Amino acid sequence: MKKSIVLLVLFLIFVLIFGLILINKPSIKLTIDNKEINDDITISYDESFVYPEVSSKIFNKDISKKIKLDGKVDDKKVGTYKLTYKLKYLIYNIKKTINVNIVDLKKPEITLVGSNPGNSCSVQTYVEEGYTAIDEYDGDITDKVTIRKENDTIYYEVLDSSNNKNTIERKINISDTESPNIVLKGNQIVYLKINDEYKEEGYTITDNCDSEITDIQIDNKIDNTKVGSYEINYIVKDSSGNEKSIKRFVYVYDPEVTKNIEGVGTIYLTFDDGPSTYTSKILDILKQYNIKATFFVTKNGKDELIKREYDEGHTVALHTYTHDYKKVYSSVENYFKDLDLVSSRVSKIINEKAMIIRFPGGSSNTVSKNYSKGIMTTLTQEVTNRGYHYFDWTCSVEDAGSCAKKKNDNEKEGCIYNYFTKCLSKNKMNVVLMHDIKYYTANKLEDMIKYAIEQGYTFEKITMLTPSYHHKVNN
Ligand code: ZN
């Protein structure tokens, strides 16, 4: 009996202890800001992750220090991180696991470059003006953008690495506002011997929208039986009515006639080395007497003066850009480089290509020998091959020569006036060399003109049809 009581008591003690152990099993408590955490935690990569506080108690005894953490969170990197909290105490072996999800929920931004709405003859032919796609987490993801075209809209779509999607649109106004382009085959300036047949060399037309353009109008009023300067006007129109035109210049010449007759008894006033501050005065005088002259320009002076020369009906011709003998006569290549510079200056101002030229020092100059032997022989041929007409002079007023050395203005003016009146002839053409960079030339010009008019001379400007007057080449 006693034995069984003892056993029973032992059993009850055992049950009691076991019960106490079961009832008092400690747990791991996780809290953030006093809130208990039992589920997964999800936060954005741009927030900071704070590890939960841990606590555990048994019989009111704090055993938090016994808890060990397995796992680590990189809160700047999108992903799922497992945190395992372990507690080993007495007979207890407890684990608690939570997942921390670091996520990117922000849409990438797409930015369009260029106009929106854009303009094109069709959505399909729209020339993409550009776009960029930036994601805060991934950075530049422009190369991930996909483009879809539907009706009159272009859709730009991009997904970031977390599958956040953004789509933006560019509307396209269906319209063709661009003119077709026409380029002439062959030379833009054509020299046609009288009675020769003009042969059209054709053209090439391109357009942004139309694959073929059939609306071409060519105005050609060339009379090849008559010496003169003619224009051929080519006008092309695309299907939306945008127009473009280009001109070809044709000079019909008679080699016999131009050699002997034209220009005889005529004065061609030519002004070199300008423009300069004296050019306006010269232009005023020429205007007053309704005389057209020829200006061989350089890099000097204001563009407006060249424009005025042209607008008032004078011939704008080319001298060289730098007028630097050492430079322009150092090689054929350097000569043309320099000539191209002044040529493009003039083209920009008058919208026409000047084809009349004068060599610094004339084609007869010997100073070029110092820089390149035989260069004038080559240049005089080469400029002609390239379609230029070069002009020397029959008469120099010596305003940059001997007259420039005279003591005072009176003597300078008297000197050039003398040269002028002495050199004129009714039996030949008179190409008069002057310089619009000399104030005494501007001052004396009116007197010289009055004299020539009294003597019955007429004035002309040099054109592509004026027979060339060349010096003998000396180098
Ligand atoms: Zn000169």
Side-chain angles (χ1 to χ4, degrees):
M1 231 353 225
K2 269 184 186 172
K3 203 177 177 183
S4 59
I5 291 170
V6 170
L7 279 174
L8 181 66
V9 169
L10 280 175
F11 175 74
L12 286 174
I13 291 170
F14 176 78
V15 168
L16 185 68
I17 292 171
F18 191 76
L20 279 172
I21 288 171
L22 275 180
I23 291 163
N24 278 292
K25 185 185 178 190
S27 65
I28 299 173
K29 195 176 171 192
L30 303 177
T31 54
I32 294 177
D33 293 335
N34 295 322
K35 265 192 193 162
E36 195 171 344
I37 307 290
N38 289 306
D39 301 321
D40 291 356
I41 300 171
T42 298
I43 65 161
S44 177
Y45 69 92
D46 57 354
E47 296 175 79
S48 293
F49 174 69
V50 180
Y51 287 86
E53 286 182 34
V54 292
S55 61
S56 190
K57 276 180 183 169
I58 187 162
F59 300 118
N60 260 336
K61 186 189 173 202
D62 185 353
I63 52 167
S64 307
K65 293 234 164 73
K66 303 281 180 192
I67 301 170
K68 288 199 172 123
L69 168 63
D70 214 357
K72 213 175 144 191
V73 175
D74 181 350
D75 61 4
K76 295 284 156 272
K77 205 174 156 199
V78 168
T80 297
Y81 302 89
K82 198 178 200 172
L83 296 180
T84 306
Y85 295 88
K86 290 174 182 167
L87 175 64
K88 269 185 183 170
Y89 189 69
L90 300 174
I91 57 159
Y92 305 113
N93 192 358
I94 300 163
K95 272 190 191 177
K96 181 163 185 151
T97 299
I98 58 161
N99 285 319
V100 178
N101 300 308
I102 303 296
V103 295
D104 169 20
L105 297 171
K106 285 194 180 174
K107 281 197 297 188
E109 281 293 322
I110 308 177
T111 311
L112 294 181
V113 178
S115 47
N116 188 16
N119 296 297
S120 183
C121 34
S122 77
V123 171
Q124 296 310 319
T125 58
Y126 169 74
V127 179
E128 181 54 54
E129 291 169 273
Y131 50 83
T132 52
I134 304 290
D135 184 60
E136 253 184 51
Y137 182 76
D138 295 332
D140 191 334
I141 50 168
T142 304
D143 59 344
K144 298 220 159 53
V145 174
T146 56
I147 291 179
R148 204 174 78 245
K149 295 175 176 183
E150 255 171 50
N151 301 325
D152 65 343
T153 308
I154 301 174
Y155 298 90
Y156 304 79
E157 193 170 290
V158 73
L159 285 172
D160 69 10
S161 57
S162 298
N163 280 334
N164 299 302
K165 186 166 93 174
N166 197 1
T167 308
I168 63 164
E169 300 174 12
R170 194 197 302 263
K171 292 261 178 232
I172 301 298
N173 292 332
I174 309 295
S175 68
D176 178 10
T177 51
E178 234 175 89
S179 293
N181 194 27
I182 174 164
V183 177
L184 294 181
K185 290 181 182 167
N187 291 324
Q188 196 171 7
I189 297 172
V190 175
Y191 300 97
L192 187 67
K193 206 190 281 180
I194 195 160
N195 293 325
D196 276 4
E197 200 68 44
Y198 170 74
K199 198 175 144 279
E200 175 59 46
E201 292 202 60
Y203 41 79
T204 317
I205 301 167
T206 47
D207 187 62
N208 60 327
C209 292
D210 300 353
S211 57
E212 204 184 343
I213 287 189
T214 47
D215 191 347
I216 307 154
Q217 193 192 326
I218 302 177
D219 288 336
N220 174 352
K221 295 194 180 72
I222 299 172
D223 181 354
N224 66 343
T225 64
K226 222 171 131 194
V227 167
S229 111
Y230 301 92
E231 285 176 9
I232 306 173
N233 203 11
Y234 305 75
I235 306 162
V236 290
K237 217 188 261 179
D238 67 15
S239 56
S240 303
N242 300 303
E243 220 177 77
K244 181 75 169 277
S245 69
I246 192 169
K247 278 178 180 167
R248 202 193 297 270
F249 303 93
V250 178
Y251 296 101
V252 175
Y253 68 97
D254 181 341
E256 292 310 309
V257 172
T258 50
K259 200 160 55 189
N260 301 317
I261 298 165
E262 208 181 296
V264 169
T266 301
I267 296 175
Y268 299 86
L269 295 179
T270 66
F271 298 91
D272 286 14
D273 299 3
S276 84
T277 42
Y278 314 116
T279 306
S280 333
K281 182 172 182 177
I282 289 171
L283 286 168
D284 289 345
I285 296 165
L286 294 173
K287 195 187 218 171
Q288 192 189 329
Y289 289 89
N290 193 25
I291 291 169
K292 305 299 175 213
T294 305
F295 291 86
F296 290 92
V297 301
T298 62
K299 69 172 179 181
N300 291 338
K302 289 185 179 165
D303 288 354
E304 297 97 87
L305 289 167
I306 292 181
K307 181 82 170 57
R308 190 181 156 195
E309 289 166 0
Y310 178 79
D311 288 345
E312 295 184 1
H314 305 291
T315 294
V316 177
L318 311 175
H319 204 11
T320 51
Y321 193 70
T322 61
H323 204 286
D324 180 353
Y325 290 92
K326 196 175 159 188
K327 200 176 217 171
V328 301
Y329 294 139
S330 60
S331 70
V332 172
E333 197 194 340
N334 286 345
Y335 170 81
F336 280 106
K337 260 190 203 164
D338 199 88
L339 187 70
D340 286 346
L341 283 177
V342 71
S343 175
S344 64
R345 179 191 184 192
V346 167
S347 302
K348 271 183 210 143
I349 300 168
I350 70 169
N351 224 351
E352 230 175 67
K353 193 163 158 56
M355 294 302 288
I356 294 163
I357 62 172
R358 174 174 282 160
F359 293 106
S363 65
S364 57
N365 82 80
T366 51
V367 73
S368 56
K369 272 186 197 167
N370 299 329
Y371 311 110
S372 183
K373 268 224 147 66
I375 192 167
M376 295 317 298
T377 309
T378 314
L379 286 182
T380 47
Q381 284 165 10
E382 191 51 35
V383 294
T384 310
N385 289 345
R386 296 191 190 196
Y388 291 105
H389 279 201
Y390 75 90
F391 279 83
D392 290 309
W393 54 89
T394 63
C395 167
S396 166
V397 300
E398 292 294 317
D399 57 347
S402 57
C403 296
K405 297 185 184 98
K406 297 287 177 195
K407 281 202 299 286
N408 56 48
D409 293 352
N410 234 355
E411 284 189 28
K412 282 173 183 161
E413 288 174 22
C415 179
I416 60 174
Y417 185 83
N418 267 339
Y419 273 107
F420 180 75
T421 54
K422 296 265 155 55
C423 73
L424 295 181
S425 163
K426 290 268 176 63
N427 303 316
K428 59 177 177 69
M429 67 187 294
N430 300 284
V431 183
V432 181
L433 170 64
M434 303 195 209
H435 295 83
D436 53 331
I437 55 167
K438 303 292 184 190
Y439 65 92
Y440 41 86
T441 303
N443 288 343
K444 201 64 182 168
L445 181 64
E446 188 166 6
D447 285 347
M448 294 190 274
I449 286 171
K450 278 182 183 162
Y451 169 85
I453 291 170
E454 277 164 22
Q455 299 295 310
Y457 287 98
T458 53
F459 294 86
E460 279 293 346
K461 62 179 178 182
I462 292 173
T463 71
M464 292 303 280
L465 296 176
T466 308
S468 298
Y469 180 79
H470 295 164
H471 290 163
K472 184 173 166 286
V473 173
N474 294 314
N475 174 32

